[in-house]
Amino acid sequence: MNPTSPAFVILFAVSLIAAAGNMGLQSVLPAIGRQFGLADTLVAGAFAVSALMWTVSSPFWARLSDRLGRKRVILIGLTGFIASMTGFGAAATAGLEGWMAPLAAFALMAAARSLYGVFGSAAPIASQAYVADRTTAQGRTQALSLLASAQGLGTVIGPVLAPLFILPVVGLAGPLYAFALIAVVVLVVVWKRLPSGEVTRIPTPAEGVAHRGLWKDPRLRGYLLFGLLVTGAQAVNISVLGFHVIDELAATGVGLDQAQPFVAIALFAGAAGTLMVQWGLIPLLKMQPRDLVRWGAGLALAGNLVSLTAPGFHGVVVGYALVSMGLGFARPGFTAGASLSVGPGEQGAVAGLIMSIAGLSFLAPPVAGVALYAWREAAPFALNGLLLSAALALCWISGPLRRGPPDLPDRDETPSSDTPPASQPGPEGGGRLVSE
């Protein structure tokens, strides 16, 4: 499949709208929770439940796409996304307009978000499998990387567009309706225009059978623990960001209704920092996994220290941008390092472990981070300081991280310019690449 073909463009749009809608929701959810007068931890919990369901359902959709076909599962995933965003928006509107008690409205919002957790992974997984079925081994990595980059682009577009849809009639729920409507258009295009001719499907490999003990393999333990530490810290930063921006602006007299564009600016700064690192600095500097994990943990630690000490909105933005840049280095560092540390027959199992880390990091950490923030503003950043200090120390304590992957002949350890950027919202922003 040529990346310039109409079919590939359609699949790119599928991934783009999912990531943009997810980040658009992330940008307005703290303000909705504050207007409802709910505890901030309840708001974070809605995303934690969704992340759990995403992680559990992903293998099911991968296998189902082998049996039903890629196009049908893409349509199922888009339908679930539309239903989730529409239901979330309707419940938010009911609560904001006083048609329903805030707690009841939020329960419906959480149910709608859980619907996304169940169905949300179907479209990106089937899209990636669709591309893999129709590309040669030589061109598959570039095509899948380009497809995955749509998620990184969506994390930039979503927060930028969301404030534009906060209109007088629909209020904070406007972005949810808007992204659902755009997804309806994409759904119709997929249904009408995406070819569904039969090809030889590349089956999704079963995970967790032949390599159940791989998580404790000494070649991988350091990388997996590092990944859990840094992605857990990222989850805390993302979950706290909206509330932090709102509170810093409130101290200067900016009300909740006027704070939303500033939340979008902070999210945009983080996404742009990630893209700059992964599309610019890593290829330019030709960094290897050993350097990526060190710079990643160090920059993320510096970002949390800025968030801990720098006052005002600008301190929040600079701190979050530094954290995002750090994760832009760290994520390809530990994923590439783990992959390069094992043989070809273990790649599927390693990919499954990396996906599990992404899911785990967005379960407890967001709720814990928001709970700590409600107790003391500095507490979540202090916690992240400990997590990232441990990750940085691990870069020298762990032998595999200190030495880097073994230098095998004819292997280039430098992530290419096509390496997709790490998604901002966690597991819900990305699927699992189908191995070649």
Side-chain angles (χ1 to χ4, degrees):
M1 172 183 287
N2 191 320
T4 61
S5 67
F8 187 88
V9 173
I10 291 172
L11 297 176
F12 191 92
V14 170
S15 296
L16 181 66
I17 185 58
N22 193 47
M23 284 305 289
L25 173 58
Q26 179 77 44
S27 70
V28 299
L29 188 57
I32 292 174
R34 287 290 176 86
Q35 287 206 7
F36 280 4
L38 299 175
D40 295 345
T41 50
L42 282 177
V43 178
F47 272 79
V49 172
S50 179
L52 173 63
M53 292 184 174
W54 175 287
T55 304
V56 171
S57 66
S58 292
F60 168 78
W61 293 118
R63 292 189 297 269
L64 190 65
S65 73
D66 291 336
R67 299 198 302 269
L68 290 184
R70 315 306 190 193
K71 181 176 177 177
R72 290 180 182 177
V73 174
I74 292 171
L75 292 172
I76 292 172
L78 281 172
T79 302
F81 174 82
I82 294 166
S84 174
M85 297 294 281
T86 304
F88 200 104
T93 298
L96 293 170
E97 296 295 328
W99 303 337
M100 184 181 293
L103 190 58
F106 185 78
L108 292 178
M109 289 162 58
R113 186 63 185 175
S114 298
L115 188 66
Y116 177 71
V118 172
F119 291 95
S121 62
I125 284 177
S127 296
Q128 291 166 11
Y130 185 103
V131 173
D133 292 341
R134 291 162 172 80
T135 51
T136 63
Q138 291 79 10
R140 189 172 305 148
T141 299
Q142 180 181 1
L144 289 176
S145 295
L146 182 59
L147 181 66
S149 71
Q151 297 157 9
L153 184 59
T155 63
V156 175
I157 292 176
V160 173
L161 292 182
L164 302 179
F165 298 123
I166 300 177
L167 304 172
V169 176
V170 290
L172 288 170
L176 310 178
Y177 298 130
F179 287 117
L181 184 60
I182 296 171
V184 169
V185 175
V186 175
L187 175 70
V188 172
V189 172
V190 170
W191 178 38
K192 295 288 189 180
R193 299 293 183 185
L194 185 66
S196 58
E198 289 300 319
V199 298
T200 301
R201 294 176 190 150
I202 301 173
T204 302
E207 295 177 9
V209 178
H211 303 288
R212 283 197 180 103
L214 199 58
W215 61 271
K216 53 186 178 182
D217 190 306
R219 298 171 297 171
L220 298 175
R221 277 187 311 219
Y223 287 109
L224 297 178
L225 179 56
F226 177 90
L228 191 61
L229 290 169
V230 296
T231 55
Q234 181 193 29
V236 170
N237 285 119
I238 291 174
S239 63
V240 168
L241 178 66
F243 302 112
H244 197 190
V245 170
I246 290 170
D247 291 338
E248 290 294 337
L249 292 173
T252 64
V254 177
L256 185 60
D257 294 339
Q258 292 78 41
Q260 194 55 46
F262 295 93
V263 176
I265 290 171
L267 284 167
F268 173 79
T274 299
L275 291 176
M276 180 183 70
V277 164
Q278 295 194 330
W279 286 353
L281 293 179
I282 291 177
L284 178 65
L285 300 176
K286 301 187 182 300
M287 300 172 71
Q288 297 181 359
R290 180 181 62 181
D291 304 312
L292 291 171
V293 294
R294 294 176 180 180
W295 278 96
L299 267 178
L301 177 60
N304 274 277
L305 293 178
V306 170
S307 298
L308 185 64
T309 59
F313 172 71
H314 294 92
V316 175
V317 173
V318 172
Y320 184 68
L322 285 174
V323 168
S324 300
M325 290 177 66
L327 266 294
F329 284 115
R331 187 180 291 273
F334 76 81
T335 55
S339 176
L340 292 167
S341 296
V342 300
E346 299 167 299
Q347 293 300 319
V350 169
L353 288 173
I354 297 298
M355 175 60 76
S356 297
I357 286 175
L360 288 172
S361 66
F362 277 82
L363 291 178
V367 179
V370 173
L372 286 171
Y373 180 78
W375 174 58
R376 291 285 189 277
E377 181 179 313
F381 306 110
L383 170 64
N384 275 358
L386 295 176
L387 294 177
L388 293 167
S389 295
L392 191 59
L394 196 63
C395 295
W396 281 270
I397 295 173
S398 168
L401 267 69
R402 183 177 66 253
R403 295 186 299 268
D407 187 15
L408 299 182
D410 302 322
R411 188 179 71 188
D412 182 9
E413 297 180 7
T414 304
S416 72
S417 58
D418 296 320
T419 300
S423 59
Q424 292 291 324
E428 299 167 8
R432 177 166 50 86
L433 290 181
V434 180
S435 59
E436 296 183 9

